[in-house]
């Protein structure tokens, strides 16, 4: 894993860890009823001298919650935590089914190409 990915992972985890739910990249291998997972794609951004200066990370944060429990407060908390951490205001998509409440928060972040750990 590159230092850039480690740093963006840390930024996302750091933004959400105060919500008192597990926050894990990609997949929750423990299959918890309540957790937050995230993934992102990076695309080159703002070219100069025939090379990008930045990456634009297209981030998806997934809130998984049991059906029947009120998730309004935690959904608002995820929105607030992401924006306070400097991510763009997320779009919220409801991907719930009969088994699980599943909310996807789509946001973005700009990271330098040459970013190192931290």
């Amino acid at each position: 894993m590159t230092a850039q990915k480690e740093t963006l992972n840390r930024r996302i985890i750091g933004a959400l860890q105060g919500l008192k739910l597990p926050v894990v990249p990609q997949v929750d291998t423990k299959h918890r009823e309540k957790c937050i997972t995230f993934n992102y794609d990076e695309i080159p951004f703002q070219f100069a001298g025939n090379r990008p200066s930045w990456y634009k990370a297209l981030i998806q944060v997934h809130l998984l919650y049991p059906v029947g429990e009120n998730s309004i407060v935690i959904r608002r908390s995820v929105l607030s935590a992401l924006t306070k951490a400097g991510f763009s205001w997320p779009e919220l998509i409801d991907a719930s089914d009969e088994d699980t409440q599943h909310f996807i928060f789509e946001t973005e972040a700009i990271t330098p190409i040459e970013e190192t750990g931290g």
Side-chain angles (χ1 to χ4, degrees):
M1 182 179 294
T2 67
Q4 181 170 347
K5 286 189 183 295
E6 290 174 12
T7 300
L8 186 52
N9 281 1
R10 282 189 213 134
R11 270 187 71 196
I12 296 167
I13 292 168
L16 299 168
Q17 67 187 3
L19 302 179
K20 304 205 184 327
L21 289 176
V23 180
V24 295
Q26 305 299 337
V27 176
D28 176 31
T29 58
K30 295 183 181 179
H31 308 286
R32 293 170 267 223
E33 277 192 313
K34 296 180 182 180
C35 75
I36 297 172
T37 64
F38 64 89
N39 58 280
Y40 52 87
D41 296 310
E42 295 173 301
I43 57 175
F45 181 69
Q46 197 174 36
F47 282 78
N50 204 28
R51 95 184 272 277
S53 302
W54 308 89
Y55 277 118
K56 180 188 291 187
L58 306 176
I59 303 164
Q60 289 188 332
V61 174
H62 303 262
L63 170 64
L64 302 171
Y65 222 69
V67 169
E69 288 195 34
N70 187 336
S71 63
I72 293 173
V73 171
I74 190 69
R75 282 186 274 156
R76 297 292 180 238
S77 296
V78 170
L79 287 168
S80 177
L82 289 169
T83 57
K84 284 181 183 175
F87 295 99
S88 65
W89 191 261
E91 292 183 40
L92 178 56
I93 300 160
D94 186 345
S96 301
D97 59 26
E98 63 276 356
D99 298 320
T100 305
Q101 291 186 64
H102 180 184
F103 296 97
I104 305 168
F105 303 81
E106 292 188 341
T107 186
E108 297 179 357
I110 304 299
T111 59
I113 295 285
E114 303 299 329
E115 184 174 89
T116 57

